Amino acid sequence: MPSPVADVVDPSMQTVSPTDALSQLWTVLGQPADVLSRATLAGTEPALPSSFAVGTLAQSTIAAAALAAAQVDTLRSGRQQTVSVDMQHATLEFRSERYFRVDGQLPPEPWDKIAGLYRCGDGRWVRLHTNFAHHRDGVLKLLGCAYDRAAVAAALNQWNTEAFEEAAAQAGMVVTAARTFEEWDAHPQGIAVASQPLMTIERIGDAPPQPLAAHADGRPLSGVRVLDLTRVIAGPVCGRTLAAHGADVLLVTGPHLPAIPPLVIDTGRGKRSAQLDLRDAAGAAQLRTLLRDADIFVQGYRPGGVAALQFGPEQVAALRPGIVYVSLCAYGYEGPWANRRGFDSLVQTASGFNWAEAQAAGEAKPRPLPAQALDHGAGYLMAAGAMTALARRMTEGGSWHVRVSLAQTAHWLRSFGRMANGVDAADPRYEEIGAYLETSPSGFGALTALRHAGQLSDTPPHWTLPSVPLGTHPARW
């Protein structure tokens, strides 16, 4: 159990400003410091009801992605565009899946009916993620109970929290115990995450420099081809961001893989959508054909999953020298949980955020952050890393591997410090955000959704293709 509210970790004001956070991130990316003067960050915390600087995470990661796009544009055209990011807009975009409407209607509820928090027999809390049917069915099989919240609660009352967490992990399910910061800091995976950098960009192969030729469209990523093999939020946000700056993004999913329909609508803007079964020889061969003309390959499979299909980073770099390969995982690339499946809500719970937020709010039950901040933050880190590596390919050559994780993103957010009374901030309502919305046709109906917050002075970001149902397009450029 957490300590009483009075013992909350020093509720001092936030110690890292958005400008500081952007500077830190720009240094991690290895980008030239003088470019930072071209970024304008407006707005102040708290942007959402949270003791954590979620607005700072949103503004700094979106700004880094926009600046990285501007850098590619400078190398390509000689222009030096300025970048502006409004904190309120950025923070709203960190909750984009909450704010879109189709034909004026709310999307279906994305959460499964038994997902969420439960007490176990030892009095501690555990979080279940059951939005995918095979995860739901696996948890129910492990518990030996009916598909009903009361039945799940009764079954979990017979378990020790960490014993169930471990049993679920061994079965390939996605479950985690709620820990405090102190418990996470002492946990082997927490220790491993704390020792890792926020993200890495590593050269993994040789290739000659590949400058990008001028393009009639004139946007930073016009003509850049992206294979997006991701689902849910973080990876798809990366692809959506690259599309906003002009990339030709082809989403590739398997017809057998589960999806969360509302997220497909929100994150599918700017992309074409194809389906290939990579377990099948013909599907794998078609992806290899697509790879020959790709510039960026983004994947968020569980660790080791895509390599088992012969599309790991070194395998892809051998197939397509000069590729920019972007990987996402849940818990980081070192430590005993490096290969464990996970989602934003689980990483928040495991790494202490939910208890810390509950303490700040004076609540006795773990409280989530007011956004899937780790997912969105990681998505923009992936996009910033991809464009940084693309710029290196333009000047230095080589194949590159960008690695981002939800847990490392969480660790960075925690380093920003806390905000006293941040949980008392207003929670933006849909009726208040009309200035940030746009409506356009889609494959689902008239889609009203948030515009992109990372503004460039000469080439404003926008999506030229609508969201469409999965598998709408053939698997070709």
Side-chain angles (χ1 to χ4, degrees):
M1 294 295 291
S3 54
V5 177
D7 294 332
V8 171
V9 178
D10 184 19
S12 58
M13 294 305 290
Q14 178 191 357
T15 57
V16 175
S17 70
T19 301
D20 291 341
L22 176 58
S23 179
Q24 288 178 15
L25 178 49
W26 205 239
T27 299
V28 169
L29 291 168
Q31 291 270 23
D34 61 323
V35 176
L36 288 169
S37 64
R38 306 213 305 263
T40 300
L41 307 182
T44 58
E45 292 277 21
L48 288 176
S50 176
S51 65
F52 293 95
V54 175
T56 296
L57 181 69
Q59 191 175 35
S60 61
T61 54
I62 290 175
L67 273 178
Q71 274 297 90
V72 170
D73 185 56
T74 296
L75 292 173
R76 191 172 193 175
S77 70
R79 281 184 302 206
Q80 294 193 345
Q81 298 199 54
T82 57
V83 166
S84 61
V85 182
D86 175 78
M87 182 180 287
Q88 183 181 14
H89 190 176
T91 308
L92 293 171
E93 197 169 9
F94 255 43
R95 308 206 296 183
S96 60
E97 68 277 4
R98 297 191 186 191
Y99 292 125
F100 78 87
R101 301 289 186 270
V102 177
D103 294 330
Q105 301 300 308
L106 278 166
E109 169 58 50
W111 289 98
D112 178 66
K113 71 178 185 180
I114 63 166
L117 285 164
Y118 296 84
R119 278 194 190 273
C120 288
D122 56 359
R124 297 181 62 190
W125 294 88
V126 70
R127 183 180 292 279
L128 313 184
H129 195 290
T130 55
N131 287 356
F132 288 164
H134 65 294
H135 291 156
R136 175 199 68 208
D137 295 344
V139 164
L140 292 174
K141 180 180 179 180
L142 189 59
L143 291 174
C145 72
Y147 181 38
D148 173 80
R149 283 198 73 89
V152 171
L156 282 169
N157 196 47
Q158 306 303 310
W159 279 85
N160 169 278
T161 306
E162 291 193 13
F164 183 69
E165 175 187 65
E166 184 60 28
Q170 292 302 318
M173 301 301 105
V174 278
V175 169
T176 191
R179 291 176 172 81
T180 63
F181 279 149
E182 294 77 13
E183 289 169 335
W184 179 246
D185 291 345
H187 189 278
Q189 192 58 36
I191 293 169
V193 168
S195 69
Q196 296 171 49
L198 170 59
M199 60 186 296
T200 57
I201 303 177
E202 177 188 9
R203 184 171 177 143
I204 58 169
D206 292 328
Q210 298 178 35
L212 291 172
H215 193 282
D217 180 83
R219 292 198 285 167
L221 300 185
S222 295
V224 173
R225 288 174 166 172
V226 180
L227 287 170
D228 181 354
L229 277 72
T230 66
R231 293 177 292 158
V232 191
I233 297 178
V237 162
C238 170
R240 186 179 70 186
T241 306
L242 299 176
H245 293 297
D248 179 2
V249 181
L250 180 61
L251 175 66
V252 178
T253 60
H256 61 291
L257 294 174
I260 301 176
L263 300 182
V264 172
I265 299 172
D266 178 50
T267 62
R269 287 172 281 165
K271 307 175 188 179
R272 289 179 299 117
S273 178
Q275 290 188 325
L276 291 173
D277 189 341
L278 301 184
R279 303 169 303 176
D280 175 72
Q286 183 59 27
L287 185 63
R288 284 192 290 272
T289 298
L290 289 166
L291 261 172
R292 295 192 190 104
D293 296 312
D295 298 288
I296 300 173
F297 183 96
V298 186
Q299 67 88 17
Y301 281 70
R302 64 176 176 80
V306 76
L309 297 169
Q310 306 304 308
F311 292 101
E314 287 77 16
Q315 295 161 322
V316 168
L319 286 167
R320 199 305 193 195
I323 196 71
V324 171
Y325 190 106
V326 184
S327 294
L328 170 75
C329 74
Y331 291 104
Y333 296 88
E334 306 291 339
W337 285 16
N339 293 321
R340 189 166 289 196
R341 296 168 174 86
F343 293 93
D344 178 304
S345 58
L346 298 177
V347 177
Q348 285 190 36
T349 303
S351 62
F353 278 87
N354 290 178
W355 269 134
E357 200 78 302
Q359 289 173 325
E363 297 174 358
K365 179 181 178 180
R367 172 180 168 132
L369 294 173
Q372 300 288 97
L374 311 184
D375 258 335
H376 285 272
Y380 292 111
L381 291 176
M382 293 166 73
M387 289 183 279
T388 297
L390 187 68
R392 292 186 187 177
R393 190 189 79 171
M394 294 169 72
T395 56
E396 303 173 29
S399 299
W400 298 87
H401 188 194
V402 178
R403 298 194 305 175
V404 175
S405 82
L406 301 180
Q408 288 159 277
T409 305
H411 187 72
W412 190 49
L413 171 60
R414 184 177 162 189
S415 76
F416 294 170
R418 305 284 291 281
M419 294 182 293
N421 304 316
V423 293
D424 298 327
D427 198 343
R429 296 181 298 114
Y430 181 79
E431 295 74 19
E432 301 168 341
I433 66 168
Y436 303 106
L437 297 171
E438 61 185 6
T439 300
S440 59
S442 81
F444 305 92
L447 176 61
T448 301
L450 285 159
R451 301 191 315 276
H452 184 46
Q455 293 296 310
L456 272 63
S457 55
D458 295 359
T459 60
H462 62 278
W463 295 286
T464 56
L465 296 175
S467 293
V468 293
L470 295 176
T472 293
H473 299 99
R476 61 172 181 258
W477 295 115

